[in-house]
Amino acid sequence: MISLSRSSASRTSEFSPPKMSADSMEIDDSLYSRQRYVLGDSAMQQMAQSSVFLSGMGGLGVEIAKNIVLAGVKVLTLHDTKQCETWDLGSNFFLRQDDVLTQRNRALAVHPRVAELNPYVHVDTSSSSLDLSTDLSFLKRYQCVILTETRLSLQKKINDFCHFHQPPIRFIGCDAYGICVRVFCDFGDQFEVSDPTGEEAKEMFIQNITQGNPGPGVVTCMDSRTHGLQTGQSVLFREVNGMDSLNGTARQVTVLSPYSFTIGDTSCLQPYAHGGFFLLVKTPRTYSFETMEQQLSEPQVLTPDFSKPEAPLQIHAAMLALDAFQEQHNRLPNIGCCQDAEVLVKLTEEVNLTLTTRAPVNSELVRCLSRTAQGSLPPLAAAVGGIASQEVLKALTGKFAPLQQWFYLDAIEVVKPLQSLSAEEFSPRGDRYDGLRVCIGETMCLELHKLRVFMVGCGAIGCEMLKNFALLGVGLAKSSGEVCVTDPDLIEKSNLNRQFLFRSQHIQKPKSTTAAVATLEINPEMQVDAHLNKVCPATEGVYNDLFYSRLHLVVTALDNVEARRYVDSRSVSNQKALLDSGTMGTKGHTEIIVPNLTESYNSHRDPPEEEIPFCTLKSFPAVIEHTIQWARDKFESAFAHKPTIYNMFWQTHSSAEAVLQRMQQRETLEGAFQVVKLLSRRPSQWEHCIILARLKFDKYFKRKALQLLHSFPLDTRLKDGSLFWQSPKRPPSPIEFDLKDSLQLEGTIDTLLTPDCVCVCVCVCVCVCTTERLRMSPRMFEKDDDLNGHMDFVAAASSLRARMYSIEVADRLKTKRIAGKIIPAIATATAAVAGLVRQLLTVLQVNYGIYPTIVLTVFQVNYGIEPTIVLTVFQVNYGIEPTIVLTVFQVNYGIEPTIVLTVFQVNYGVEPTMVVHGVKMLYVPVMPGHNKRLKLTMQKLIKPSVDRRYVDLTVSFAPESDGDEDLPGPPVRYYFSPDGDAHSA
C-alpha cells in the first residue's frame, strides 16, 4: 500500500475532494484570469475538485508537476523512491546541491518548491514502493494517474486497473530516453468532451438564405466573410427576418465555399427578408480509448512532424525494443556501447514484425536512442512535459480533443551529426551536465557554457527559457558566457499562474532581476545580467552595435508583434541568430532565424487586425465587441485624454489671466476650448457630480437614440428600396434613467475618489483642487485592479449601450478580455513552446557545418527566382559572400541612390519602389522632386551625425499584383567611410 506524507500543516487531512457543487467554487480571478479565458469557469471548477497521482520526480516528472500545480488542481501526490544524485541537477530544476549531499528522496526534496507555486493546491508526497506486487486500491481516490520513469510492465498493470475501474481513472504514461520521448493516454471506453476545439463561437452576419424548391437552402455570409465551418457542424440562427422559424434552431451544415453553406430543406419556410446571424454550436463528442496492452501492436499515433511521417511508428518500435532490453538486462544500453546498440537494432526488428501497422526500421534512430538512452535533453523534457500536462487538464475537465493515444517526439537532428565523435565525448564526468553530455557530447556542452545570449522579455516564456538555459548550462561565468535579460515590467499577481520563477512576495518587483535571482538558484554557475529597459530605438545607445557584436544569440520572449519586428531588424542588421516563440491560449509557435540561412521574422506578415469603423462605434454597433470598444474609448477620453490635454495646456501658458487676455485679443490657442469646457463643468461638490453624471447618461443612452431615430426613422429605405435599419445595423431604443437599476448607477458614477477633496464622474476626470491652480490627474486604464473601478465603468457602460441596441450583454470576464486586449494564456502551452529551445542546439551546429531546413525567401515566393541568382550580383559587385537573401548587403561610401536602384533593376529584373531610412523616405519615384535626389550622395541625403558609422536602409519592391503591399527587401547597410569608421565633418 502506498503511504502518503503530509509535511505541511496546511494540507488536508484526507485526499478525497470535499463534497460540493461546482457552482459553489469561487475562482480567484486575480490569479487565474488568463487561464480562465482558455479553459472557462466550468473546466476550472472541475479541475479544482480533482486529485492527481504523479510518479517519478526526474526532469520530466517535475515539469508535469509544475504545470498542473500552476493550473490549479485540488490535490497532487508526488511519488518517488529514488534519492537525489548529481546527475539529477541537470534535469530537475527544483533540486539543489544540498539535496544531493544529504541524499534526500526526490519527492521530498522538490515538495516545498512545488507546493509554493500555488497556495490553492494541496501537495503531498509518497516514497513507498510501487511495483507489480503493490495493492493498487489506493489509486481509487484519484481522478488521474501519471507515470514517468516506470517500466512498461508496471505501466500496463496500472493502466488496466485505471481503465476498468468505474468510473475510469484517467491514465497517462510518459517516458523520456535521451533523444526520444513518448506520451500514452487512456481516458476510458467512453470519454465525453464538451468542447473539442475550444474556439470561441463568433457571430457571422447573413447576406442571404435561399428557399429550396424543393431542396436545401444556401446561406451566404455578408461582405464575403469566411465562415470557417466544416461539413457536419451545426449552426444556431438568430434575428433572421422573413424565415423567422429559423431563429433559435440549430441546423447541420454542408460547406459549399468559404462564404456559403447549405442547411437542409427550406422550401416550407417563409422567404428570407433580411438580417440575422449564426453561431457555431458546440457539439459534445465522445472518444473511445483502448488499454496500453491493446495499443502496443496496433497503435494510434499522432504525427507531429509531417516532414517525417514514418517517424512515430519507427520510434514506437524502437522504444518498445528499449523496454524489452531493460526487461532482459535490467538496465539501459551502455553509453557508446556498439554491442548494445546492435542488440537494440535486432530487438527493434523483432518488435516491428509484431506490429499490425509498421514502418521500415530506422537503424540510425535506434543506434542514437541506444547511445543516448541514459541521458536527458532538458528542452525535450520541457516540451513533452507541457504536452502531457495539457492532456492531464483535458482528462480532468473534458475540454479540448484528447490525444489518441500515442505521441512520439524525437531530436535526432540534434545528435545525429555528432555520432562520428569519439566515445570519450559522451562519457560522464561526475557533474550536473552528465545527462546532457550523454546526448550532445562534451564539445557541445562547452559551446553552451560559452554562449552569450540576449533575451528580450521575461514573462511566461522568458521564465521557461531561463530555466532551460540553466539546465543546459548556457552562459557560465567560468567560461566567459552570459545571459543578458531585459524587461521593464513589474510582477503582477496574474503572472504567478504561468511565470513560475515568481512568488507572491515578488509582486511589484521587477521581472528581470527577480527571474535572474531565481535562475541562479537553479544553476549558480551561470552569469545573468538583468536590465529594466525596453529594446526599441530609444535604447539603441545601450543595445548598440558593440553590444550585439559580443552576442552569439538573440532570444525574444515578447507579447507583441511590433517589438518582435524591431528586435528582428536589429538581429538581421548585426547578423545574429534569433529564436522567437509565442503562445495564444493552447496554440503556440517557435521560429529559428539564422543569418545567411533562413528568412527573417519581418519577411512574412500576419494579416492586419480588422479595425472597427468609426461610424460603427459611434452610431451603429452590431455586436458586443463594438459596445465594449465604445465604452473603452469613453473611458480613455474622459479619464486620460482630456486631462492630459488640460495639463499640457497649462504647461505652455503661465496663468489664466494671460490666457484670457490673449483670447480677448482673438488669438487662437490650441486646446483652449477644451480647457474652458472642462473648467466650466468642474464639480465643486459631490451633488454636482451626480447632476453631471445624470446629464451624461441622458446624452449617451437616451438622446443619442432619439437623434438617430429622428434622422433615420424605422421605415427609412435606401435608394435600392432596402430598409436602412437592417442587419448588421440595429435600431436603438432610448433608455429611461431608473434609480432602481444598479447597472445605470455603475454606468454613470465612478467611485474613484482621491484623498484630496475630489469627485469623479463620467463627464469629468479626477480633478484635484489646489490653492494655486486646478490640475487634473489622468487615469490610465488598468484592467487587473478590481478596486480601482475602471472595469466597473467599462462593463456597465458597455452593457447599457448593448441594451440600447438589443445586443446580448457580455459578462464581466468577457468584457475584461476584450477591453483589456488580454491574450489568453496557460502554463502548459508556454512550457511546451519554450521547450523547443532545443533549436538553440541546432544553431550551434551551424559551426559543425550542419544546417536546418532552409525556408523559402520573399524573393522565391513572390518572384519565383532562386536565391543564388539574386545574390550573384552582390558577390560580383561588392565582393561579399552571402548565401541567402537574409544577408545584410554592405554598401561602400559615397555612392548615389541610383547605384542601389540599378543593382536591382538591371540584374534582378525587379522594380524598386522606394529607399527608406527609418521613417525618412530618401527616394520614392512617385514623390514630387525625388528624381533630383538621384544625383545626391547618401551622405548629403541623410546628413548623419559626426559619430555615425553607417545607416541601415530599406529598399522596397513593386508587388506581384495590384492592390498588394510593397515588398521590403533585405537590409542595405551603407557605410559613410571606406573602413566603416565615423566620417569626417
Side-chain angles (χ1 to χ4, degrees), residues 4 33 63 105 156 196 220 223 329 356 368 374 573 582 590 810 849:
L4 302 168
S33 61
E63 285 283 354
N105 171 272
K156 290 191 291 184
T220 306
D223 299 329
H329 302 278
T356 305
C368 283
Q374 292 189 34
S573 297
T590 183

Side-chain angles (χ1 to χ4, degrees), residues 820-961:
K821 298 181 178 179
I822 294 174
I823 300 173
I826 191 168
T828 51
T830 303
V833 167
L836 295 175
V837 75
R838 77 170 192 265
Q839 294 173 328
L840 163 68
L841 303 174
T842 310
V843 173
L844 282 181
Q845 290 173 347
V846 172
N847 297 326
Y848 291 88
I850 307 151
Y851 300 102
T853 304
I854 294 177
V855 184
L856 287 177
T857 66
V858 173
F859 281 92
Q860 287 175 291
V861 173
N862 293 288
Y863 296 106
I865 56 178
E866 291 295 326
T868 49
I869 298 174
V870 177
L871 299 167
T872 302
V873 177
F874 284 89
Q875 292 173 325
V876 172
N877 285 277
Y878 301 114
I880 59 176
E881 213 40 56
T883 57
I884 209 163
V885 177
L886 183 63
T887 302
V888 176
F889 302 136
Q890 299 181 356
V891 181
N892 292 328
Y893 70 105
I895 67 168
E896 300 168 3
T898 47
I899 301 295
V900 177
L901 303 176
T902 303
V903 165
F904 287 97
Q905 288 172 323
V906 175
N907 297 289
Y908 307 151
V910 291
E911 186 68 29
T913 54
M914 68 173 68
V915 179
V916 176
H917 169 229
V919 297
K920 184 177 181 181
M921 294 183 291
L922 300 180
Y923 174 71
V924 183
V926 298
M927 294 290 286
H930 271 226
N931 284 333
K932 296 179 181 178
R933 298 185 176 188
L934 294 176
K935 297 181 181 180
L936 300 176
T937 63
M938 287 291 180
Q939 188 167 344
K940 289 183 178 179
L941 280 174
I942 296 171
K943 299 178 181 177
S945 59
V946 174
D947 59 346
R948 192 68 183 256
R949 296 174 55 243
Y950 66 84
V951 291
D952 287 327
L953 308 175
T954 299
V955 181
S956 298
F957 305 97
E960 257 192 327
S961 58

Side-chain angles (χ1 to χ4, degrees), residues 445-487:
C445 283
L446 294 176
E447 290 296 317
L448 287 170
H449 300 341
K450 293 186 291 185
L451 273 183
R452 301 182 68 86
V453 178
F454 181 38
M455 189 174 79
V456 187
C458 196
I461 289 179
C463 286
E464 293 286 342
M465 290 285 193
L466 284 173
K467 174 257 297 177
N468 292 337
F469 290 158
L471 296 177
L472 288 167
V474 171
L476 300 191
K478 66 182 181 182
S479 302
S480 299
E482 182 183 74
V483 175
C484 177
V485 57
T486 185
D487 194 313

Side-chain angles (χ1 to χ4, degrees), residues 386-407:
I387 292 167
S389 305
Q390 185 64 32
E391 294 308 307
V392 175
L393 304 192
K394 294 176 186 179
L396 298 176
T397 66
K399 183 79 178 281
F400 307 121
L403 189 158
Q404 285 196 292
Q405 288 190 243
W406 297 91
F407 176 85

Side-chain angles (χ1 to χ4, degrees), residues 593-767:
I593 298 162
V594 183
N596 308 327
L597 193 64
T598 67
E599 67 175 358
S600 71
Y601 183 89
N602 277 301
S603 298
H604 50 82
R605 291 182 179 271
D606 294 328
E609 288 188 18
E610 188 174 323
E611 294 186 358
I612 305 172
F614 178 74
C615 62
T616 299
L617 283 178
K618 184 177 176 61
S619 303
F620 307 114
V623 293
I624 194 63
E625 287 81 2
H626 297 162
T627 73
I628 294 172
Q629 185 60 53
W630 174 86
R632 178 72 174 79
D633 290 348
K634 288 300 177 187
F635 182 97
E636 191 70 26
S637 173
F639 295 105
H641 181 64
K642 288 178 181 178
T644 301
I645 290 177
Y646 178 90
N647 290 341
M648 289 176 62
F649 181 87
W650 290 113
Q651 288 175 3
T652 56
H653 298 86
S654 58
S655 66
E657 291 77 10
V659 170
L660 182 60
Q661 185 178 8
R662 293 177 65 180
M663 292 178 69
Q664 289 173 342
Q665 295 173 359
R666 298 189 177 183
E667 288 188 39
T668 302
L669 301 180
E670 185 177 355
F673 174 77
Q674 189 71 266
V675 169
V676 171
K677 186 176 178 182
L678 287 171
L679 284 172
S680 66
R681 295 182 177 182
R682 67 185 172 106
S684 59
Q685 51 189 326
W686 178 248
E687 288 77 5
H688 292 173
C689 257
I690 301 294
I691 294 169
L692 290 171
R694 175 69 177 80
L695 293 173
K696 190 64 73 171
F697 174 90
D698 273 356
K699 176 183 177 181
Y700 289 155
F701 307 116
K702 181 179 179 181
R703 296 207 313 270
K704 176 66 176 180
L706 293 173
Q707 179 188 13
L708 279 171
L709 292 174
H710 175 75
S711 302
F712 306 101
L714 293 178
D715 58 356
T716 301
R717 293 187 176 272
L718 301 174
K719 290 182 179 180
D720 62 1
S722 61
L723 285 170
F724 177 84
W725 292 110
Q726 66 174 343
S727 182
K729 288 190 180 73
R730 297 170 176 269
S733 299
I735 300 177
E736 294 294 338
F737 184 80
D738 183 1
L739 277 173
K740 296 179 181 179
D741 189 344
S742 61
L743 183 62
Q744 294 188 16
L745 293 178
E746 290 178 11
T748 56
I749 303 171
D750 198 328
T751 56
L752 299 173
L753 299 179
T754 69
D756 292 280
C757 81
V758 280
C759 319
V760 184
C761 69
V762 293
C763 54
V764 287
C765 300
V766 181
C767 303

